[in-house]
Amino acid sequence: MSEERRLDVLRAIVEDYVLTREPVGSRVLAERHRLGVSPATIRNDMAALEEDGYIAQPHTSAGRIPTDKGYRLFVDRLSTVKPLSSPERRAIETFLSEAVDLDDVVARAGRLLAQLTGQVAVVQYPSLRRSGLRHLELVPVGDRRLLVVIITDTGRVEQRTLEVAAAPDEATLAELRSRLNAVAAGKRLAELGQGFAEVAEQFRPEHQDLARSLALLVEETLSEESEERIVLAGTANLARVGMRFEHALRPVLEALEEQVVLLGLLTEMAAESGVSVRIGHETQLEGLAETSVVTSGYGNEGDSVALIGSIGPTRMDYPGTIASVRAVARYLSRVLTA
């Protein structure tokens, strides 16, 4: 009973601190929350929570505020995540469905999440390595070059040029296009090698080298990591009066500018299923030590191709942020796989 009550006290401290941005005292907790115990008992519980490192006293004679450890326990014990309203869900679906291409989808998802949370939204472009092939187009460009257009199942389009000894005739090009598409459709990088090798063997000897070169170009394109990038939206939200970081805003902005480092964090979080939450020092990035990052994968069900997330102060509305990230990720998946 004592442990559950202390968890209730911690939950009340987190909720009040997020709402008021002021340290929380025992008398205020007793007045605002139906904890069923006296202020003296609440003070004892707060003392125990402080001793265990879940809350801290920022100033002498002040109330208490949650620590990173306290926020972590609060998030881990969340029993409910407040759902978005029906109008909010309809607005998300309508706004994303009106996108004209992948760039527009990613930009819209970022702006939408930033508006819902009042924080910074980060959207990772669908990874080529985790995407499947939707279509492969071959276009002659002069006598000695082929334009290879690779379209993934997430709508990402990559163009590469292949130098050839001599451009094949239209019949051979059509056969290459047809057979490569047949064997590659919907498959990921790891599944392509064997199929492409078999396709090359089906052509006459004089065209086998071209088939192998095309197959290699597609495989190399899908294996590229240098193309990974992210889009940020709502950075100006960090400057809002209510956001307020304990030290300075500059380290946070500098960390967000380091996209390679931020991509590294997202890659780590991608290994975690469902909604992932990194709080404060859990990010292991000095500039984000006073922030929390909430992410969710999007893409095919159970097989995400990238992440979308929200970045804000550790003093964030975790239930609301988790609900928003989860909802936008779900609708983003629907739009990309439709």
Side-chain angles (χ1 to χ4, degrees):
M1 175 65 75
S2 177
E3 183 178 347
E4 285 301 313
R5 190 182 66 238
R6 286 173 185 170
L7 186 59
D8 288 339
V9 170
L10 174 63
R11 186 181 298 112
I13 291 172
V14 171
E15 291 174 353
D16 274 19
Y17 185 56
V18 168
L19 182 66
T20 67
R21 308 181 193 93
E22 297 293 339
V24 183
S26 58
R27 189 169 299 280
V28 171
L29 288 179
E31 293 171 354
R32 290 181 181 170
H33 300 270
R34 297 179 179 178
L35 297 174
V37 292
S38 67
T41 301
I42 294 175
R43 280 194 295 273
N44 290 336
D45 289 336
M46 291 175 71
L49 288 169
E50 186 172 8
E51 185 177 350
D52 290 338
Y54 294 111
I55 59 176
Q57 187 175 30
H59 309 291
T60 305
S61 74
R64 305 302 193 272
I65 64 174
T67 62
D68 287 359
K69 184 179 178 182
Y71 284 124
R72 168 51 60 193
L73 181 59
F74 172 80
V75 169
D76 289 345
R77 295 295 185 91
L78 275 179
S79 56
T80 59
V81 174
K82 57 185 179 186
L84 299 185
S85 66
S86 294
E88 284 175 325
R89 292 197 300 271
R90 283 196 300 270
I92 293 173
E93 187 170 17
T94 301
F95 187 63
L96 291 183
S97 64
E98 292 174 349
V100 297
D101 56 24
L102 178 61
D103 289 339
D104 195 18
V105 170
V106 169
R108 283 171 177 260
R111 293 201 305 271
L112 189 60
L113 185 57
Q115 290 172 3
L116 287 171
T117 63
Q119 299 169 163
V120 177
V122 54
V123 189
Q124 183 183 19
Y125 264 77
S127 167
L128 285 173
R129 295 173 64 86
R130 295 193 292 272
S131 297
L133 272 178
R134 177 176 291 170
H135 185 70
L136 188 65
E137 189 58 54
L138 308 175
V139 182
V141 183
D143 295 332
R144 303 175 62 85
R145 294 199 309 177
L146 280 178
L147 177 65
V148 183
V149 183
I150 301 166
I151 305 174
T152 72
D153 56 6
T154 55
R156 184 163 174 174
V157 179
E158 297 292 321
Q159 297 183 8
R160 299 291 184 272
T161 301
L162 179 66
E163 298 288 340
V164 295
D169 57 58
E170 182 54 42
T172 301
L173 201 60
E175 186 179 4
L176 274 168
R177 186 188 299 117
S178 175
R179 291 193 178 185
L180 288 173
N181 273 309
V183 76
K187 290 188 172 63
R188 301 292 173 89
L189 174 64
E191 305 169 303
L192 291 176
Q194 182 63 34
F196 278 164
E198 293 173 358
V199 167
E201 295 300 324
Q202 295 170 6
F203 283 87
R204 294 192 301 273
E206 63 267 29
H207 293 138
Q208 287 184 3
D209 284 345
L210 175 57
R212 292 191 186 100
S213 296
L214 281 169
L216 181 61
L217 179 63
V218 173
E219 289 185 68
E220 287 178 345
T221 300
L222 292 180
S223 66
E224 287 179 0
E225 295 183 352
S226 59
E227 292 293 322
E228 304 298 343
R229 64 189 195 274
I230 56 178
V231 170
L232 295 176
T235 306
N237 287 337
L238 294 176
R240 290 188 297 113
V241 175
M243 193 66 78
R244 223 173 55 189
F245 289 91
E246 187 68 25
H247 294 99
L249 177 59
R250 183 173 178 177
V252 180
L253 294 175
E254 289 177 346
L256 294 179
E257 287 179 359
E258 292 290 336
Q259 293 212 356
V260 173
V261 177
L262 196 53
L263 266 171
L265 173 61
L266 295 180
T267 300
E268 289 180 13
M269 297 179 74
E272 303 166 15
S273 60
V275 176
S276 176
V277 182
R278 293 286 179 92
I279 299 170
H281 291 87
E282 292 176 356
T283 64
Q284 298 184 350
L285 299 176
E286 185 176 351
L288 297 183
E290 294 184 20
T291 71
S292 288
V293 183
V294 180
T295 65
S296 177
Y298 69 87
N300 295 317
E301 187 174 351
D303 189 12
S304 65
V305 295
L307 291 183
I308 183 170
S310 185
I311 303 173
T314 53
R315 190 201 64 254
M316 69 164 58
D317 173 13
Y318 288 97
T321 300
I322 290 171
S324 297
V325 168
R326 181 184 292 166
V328 176
R330 184 181 299 123
Y331 286 111
L332 185 54
S333 299
R334 289 185 188 177
V335 169
L336 289 179
T337 57

